[in-house]
Amino acid sequence: MYTKVALFITVILGIVFYNKSSQANITGKVVAITQIAPHPSLDRIRKGIEDEITTAFGDKVKIEFQSAQGNPTLATQIAQNFIGKKVDVVVAITTPSAQAMFSANAPKIPMVFAGVTDPIAAKLVEDNGKNKENVTGVSDAPDIQRQVALLQGSLLKGSSIGIIYNPGETNSYVHVERLEEALLAVGFVVIKTPAYSTGDVLQAAQGTVPNADALMLTNDNTVIAALDAVLQTAKQKGIPIFCSDPESVKRGCKAAIAPDQYEMGRSAGEMVVRILKGERGHHISVLNAPSTQFSLANS
C-alpha cells in the first residue's frame, strides 16, 4: 500500500514539475508575425493567430508584428530583420510574405504560414505535398467548383465575368488560371485585367466594368487592398462583385465561397502553440481551411 501511495505521489509531483518546467521554457519566447498589407481579411487571420497564442501562454510569449504595406521589397526586409533577431517562431500571412520569409530563413527558424492559396506553387512545401523542414501552415485554397456554382446560380449562361488581378502574385495567378478554365468550361466569358499595384486597380476596374456582367475577385492582396475603388466603379454600373473572402462581403461584395479568416488564423495559431511546446514544424501537417458561403445581408 505504501509503495503504491509513494508511486502515486511521485507521478503527481513529476507532472507538476514537468508543467512548471515547460512553462518556464516558454517564458521569454518571441513569435514574429508579418503580412503583406493591412486589410480586414488579413487582420482577421492575424487576430486568430494572436488569440490562440495568448490563450495558451498569456503574456509569457511576446508577439511582434510588422506589415509590409503592400511593398514586396519591404516584405523581404521585414523577413530578414525577424530572422536576424533569432525569434523562436516566424509567422507569415499571405503568399508574398511567406515567400519572402522562406527565402530569408536559412537558419531554419520554425515557420508557420497562413492565407497561402497554393503552397506547392509558392514553393513552401514539396511538389509531392510534404512539408519542407520546419515549415507548416494553413492554406486558403479556394473551392473553385463551388465558386463557379455560385456564379451559375446568380448569372445567366454566357455572362461576362471580369477578373482583376496582379499576375505578379503567385497565389492570385494560380487561382485565376484555374478559375478561368472552370468558368469557360460552363459557358461563361472571362475578361482578365492585370493590376500590378494598388494604384493600377482603379484604372483596371474602369476598363473592365463596362464590358462585364459581374466581377469575380480572387484572394489578390493588391486588389483587395484597393477594394473600395472596385466597389465604387461596379456600383456605378450596377453589377455584382463576387469574391474569395468574407471580409470583402462585409464591405459590399455580393457573396463569397471562402474560409472564415479568423478561424483560419486560429488553426495557424494552434500550430504555433504546438511548436512552442516542442513539436517540429514539419511534423505538423499543412491544413487546407474549409470553405463556406458568405452573402451580403441584403442580397
Side-chain angles (χ1 to χ4, degrees):
M1 179 69 180
Y2 174 79
T3 303
K4 289 183 178 180
V5 172
L7 178 61
F8 176 76
I9 293 173
T10 300
V11 170
I12 294 299
L13 289 175
I15 292 172
V16 171
F17 176 79
Y18 173 80
N19 286 337
K20 286 183 177 179
S21 175
S22 177
Q23 289 298 315
N25 290 338
I26 292 298
T27 301
K29 291 196 173 184
V30 179
V31 175
I33 304 176
T34 183
Q35 66 191 49
I36 191 61
H39 65 67
S41 299
L42 306 185
D43 294 342
R44 288 290 290 166
I45 296 173
R46 176 163 53 89
K47 181 68 163 57
I49 294 168
E50 292 173 343
D51 284 354
E52 281 297 311
I53 298 170
T54 301
T55 298
F57 304 120
D59 60 0
K60 290 183 171 62
V61 173
K62 181 181 179 182
I63 300 173
E64 296 188 11
F65 168 71
Q66 290 190 37
S67 167
Q69 304 297 324
N71 186 329
T73 301
L74 182 55
T76 298
Q77 293 172 353
I78 290 171
Q80 291 171 341
N81 176 54
F82 281 151
I83 298 302
K85 292 171 71 172
K86 298 181 180 179
V87 299
D88 296 285
V89 182
V90 290
V91 184
I93 302 171
T94 70
T95 301
S97 286
Q99 289 176 316
M101 188 66 73
F102 184 81
S103 296
N105 194 14
K108 294 293 187 294
I109 293 172
M111 172 180 164
V112 176
F113 60 78
V116 172
T117 301
D118 190 332
I120 293 177
K123 305 298 183 184
L124 299 172
V125 301
E126 302 290 357
D127 290 342
N128 60 8
K130 291 185 177 181
N131 298 52
K132 292 190 175 181
E133 184 181 359
N134 269 346
V135 177
T136 190
V138 186
S139 168
D140 63 352
D143 188 329
I144 290 177
Q145 294 306 315
R146 287 186 65 189
Q147 288 185 332
V148 171
L150 174 65
L151 294 174
Q152 286 180 299
S154 304
L155 303 168
L156 297 174
K157 186 174 182 178
S159 295
S160 297
I161 310 297
I163 302 176
I164 304 167
Y165 73 113
N166 181 355
E169 289 191 29
T170 302
N171 51 298
S172 188
Y173 177 81
V174 170
H175 187 180
V176 169
E177 291 297 298
R178 294 173 182 171
L179 182 61
E180 179 183 25
E181 181 180 3
L183 289 172
L184 293 175
V186 297
F188 284 115
V189 176
V190 177
I191 304 169
K192 295 191 299 183
T193 308
Y196 292 92
S197 70
T198 53
D200 297 333
V201 172
L202 175 59
Q203 184 177 353
Q206 291 172 336
T208 305
V209 165
N211 303 306
D213 298 302
L215 296 181
M216 175 65 201
L217 304 181
T218 67
N219 284 326
D220 187 298
N221 299 293
T222 302
V223 175
I224 301 303
L227 180 61
D228 287 343
V230 182
L231 288 167
Q232 291 170 9
T233 305
K235 186 177 180 180
Q236 291 171 1
K237 191 188 175 187
I239 69 170
I241 303 176
F242 299 87
C243 61
S244 300
D245 77 274
E247 303 310 312
S248 292
V249 174
K250 294 176 184 178
R251 296 169 67 185
C253 292
K254 180 179 176 65
I257 299 293
D260 183 292
Q261 307 294 293
Y262 178 76
E263 292 301 323
M264 178 166 48
R266 287 188 61 193
S267 295
E270 288 173 5
M271 293 175 170
V272 175
V273 170
R274 290 171 64 181
I275 290 169
L276 288 172
K277 287 182 175 180
E279 288 191 58
R280 301 292 298 276
H282 51 273
H283 293 165
I284 302 173
S285 298
V286 172
L287 298 179
N288 188 38
S291 293
T292 188
Q293 181 168 334
F294 299 85
S295 299
L296 194 63
N298 60 359
S299 65

